[in-house]
Amino acid sequence: MSSIGIIANPVSGKDIRRLVSHATVVDNHEKVNIVERILLGAQQCGVKNIYIMPDSFNIGYKAIDNLSYSRELTSSVEVLCMKLNANPTDTTCAAKMMEDMKIGCMIVLGGDGTNRAAAKAIKNTPLISISTGTNNVYPEMVEGTVAGMAAAVVASGKYAKDSICKRDKKIEIYKNQELIDIALVDAVLSKNLFVGSKAIWDMEDMIEIIVSKAHPASIGFSSIVGCKKIIRDEDDFGASVNLTEGRYSILAPMAAGLVKKVRMGEPKILKLNKAYVYETKCNGMIAVDGEREIPFRENEKITFKITRNGPLRVNIKKALEDAQKDGFFLR
């Protein structure tokens, strides 16, 4: 029987970047609504078993209660039994459980950070990523019903993964030859050690950016590189750029409604699996996908590597188009 998993982060879309820009905030009641639409779209396309990550707002339980009350729920839906820590480790733990259960597809509701936390645990489970705000690069703005339908197509096992999914890039970060963290989109070295807010947003503190992809249509730090050099998902390289050099002055969309002038050096192409060693000149922090996580000291050597070891991302339109051609939706 086909099965899918749902991870909904109750705290995504509520960081300081919402206070310094005009970003959209998706509240937890709307996340419940999105989960309900995913459940309905998936079950109506044949998914029998659905597993949901528990959370502090009880998004999964509320969605189940609402659809049970309206008598619309026909699939078996279960909230995972796991210890809650109310931090990103919940996402990583739930993703690991779902991977071990060999579910057919995983849907993650959240921002770049939520998807990064899930990516730490999944290797073979196809991923559909739904954005819950406007300050995101990795997840897509997708209607929940459509996401549920696409997950059902993938979980059916009728279609080859390599035809409807692609393996994403990621940035691997090493200290002393030990992998210490990853980023899906960007890693930013900042000289600001204060972590009152984990979200990084002050351009004056930024030293260097490493990206796996970059485009001027993105919102956030990767757009700085993207406004000088476009790097697409399918490109087998990433790039780094020094923000202490003043060779170029560009305009970049740093947050929703916030376009800033940024001075930067020439982007350096980083080929897949090639080590880029950065020797720090001060104390600071590395922000991964927008959140400060990794402290560093002066004269440390940090190695960054762009690899094709990221999540197996579902191409939603391709999955639905292939299913349509094959008569999957005929009843």
Side-chain angles (χ1 to χ4, degrees):
M1 291 187 294
S2 61
S3 62
I4 68 169
I6 301 172
I7 292 175
N9 181 3
V11 299
S12 66
K14 299 177 182 177
D15 59 55
I16 192 171
R17 285 165 290 192
R18 270 70 188 169
L19 301 178
V20 297
S21 70
H22 297 270
T24 297
V25 176
V26 177
D27 68 21
N28 288 335
H29 296 288
E30 178 55 22
K31 291 173 188 174
V32 173
N33 291 335
I34 295 171
V35 170
E36 290 177 16
R37 299 198 293 272
I38 292 171
L39 294 174
L40 293 172
Q43 74 173 17
Q44 289 164 6
C45 288
V47 173
K48 301 300 183 184
N49 297 298
I50 303 172
Y51 304 93
I52 305 177
M53 179 187 79
D55 69 88
S56 56
F57 189 75
N58 290 325
I59 292 173
Y61 286 111
K62 290 177 180 178
I64 293 170
D65 287 346
N66 290 344
L67 294 181
S68 296
Y69 181 79
S70 64
R71 298 184 179 181
E72 295 176 271
L73 193 61
T74 57
S75 293
S76 171
V77 184
E78 176 184 335
V79 176
L80 294 177
C81 181
M82 53 176 270
K83 179 183 176 182
L84 276 182
N85 298 304
N87 62 39
T89 62
D90 292 338
T91 295
T92 305
C93 178
K96 178 65 166 57
M97 291 178 68
M98 293 175 184
E99 172 101 349
D100 291 344
M101 294 163 64
K102 300 186 185 303
I103 61 169
C105 186
M106 187 183 307
I107 300 177
V108 174
L109 280 74
D112 293 331
T114 306
N115 284 275
R116 168 181 155 267
K120 289 183 177 184
I122 58 175
K123 294 180 180 179
N124 301 313
T125 306
L127 173 68
I128 291 176
S129 180
I130 300 179
S131 178
T132 54
T134 49
N135 270 345
N136 300 312
V137 177
Y138 188 81
E140 302 174 83
M141 298 296 288
V142 183
E143 160 55 34
T145 313
V146 173
M149 294 174 65
V153 170
V154 177
S156 72
K158 296 179 179 180
Y159 306 92
K161 289 182 181 179
D162 58 3
S163 70
I164 55 176
C165 303
K166 61 179 176 59
R167 182 68 67 178
D168 279 332
K169 292 179 283 186
K170 71 177 180 181
I171 304 168
E172 299 176 359
I173 306 168
Y174 297 83
K175 276 188 183 181
N176 302 318
Q177 298 184 330
E178 179 184 354
L179 178 66
I180 57 172
D181 217 325
I182 67 165
L184 293 177
V185 179
D186 53 54
V188 180
L189 287 92
S190 166
K191 61 187 177 182
N192 190 339
L193 282 165
F194 180 66
V195 194
S197 166
K198 293 187 75 172
I200 182 172
W201 58 277
D202 191 345
M203 286 298 306
E204 298 299 320
D205 297 329
M206 295 166 60
I207 303 167
E208 183 105 0
I209 302 176
I210 296 90
V211 298
S212 64
K213 61 181 180 178
H215 200 283
S218 298
I219 291 287
F221 304 114
S222 66
S223 71
I224 295 172
V225 182
C227 286
K228 182 65 177 65
K229 172 69 177 178
I230 292 176
I231 303 173
R232 305 183 190 278
D233 289 329
E234 59 269 24
D235 291 331
D236 285 333
F237 58 85
S240 68
V241 66
N242 189 317
L243 297 178
T244 64
E245 298 177 4
R247 182 170 181 179
Y248 302 105
S249 179
I250 57 101
L251 291 174
M254 298 305 303
L258 183 64
V259 179
K260 296 194 71 172
K261 183 183 291 186
V262 182
R263 299 192 68 82
M264 59 182 284
E266 181 71 35
K268 299 176 183 177
I269 295 300
L270 305 180
K271 293 184 179 179
L272 283 189
N273 304 313
K274 297 295 183 182
Y276 170 61
V277 180
Y278 183 89
E279 187 167 348
T280 61
K281 299 176 179 61
C282 62
N283 297 341
M285 296 282 286
I286 301 176
V288 283
D289 293 328
E291 297 184 349
R292 284 175 283 204
E293 295 283 358
I294 308 165
F296 61 81
R297 296 185 180 277
E298 186 177 1
N299 297 323
E300 278 192 310
K301 290 184 178 179
I302 304 169
T303 301
F304 299 89
K305 191 182 294 184
I306 312 291
T307 70
R308 186 68 73 176
N309 297 327
L312 189 63
R313 181 98 75 101
V314 176
N315 183 329
I316 295 174
K317 287 187 176 180
K318 180 69 164 55
L320 294 176
E321 286 171 0
D322 284 3
Q324 182 270 330
K325 292 176 184 176
D326 192 46
F328 183 88
F329 303 115
L330 295 176
R331 294 293 188 269

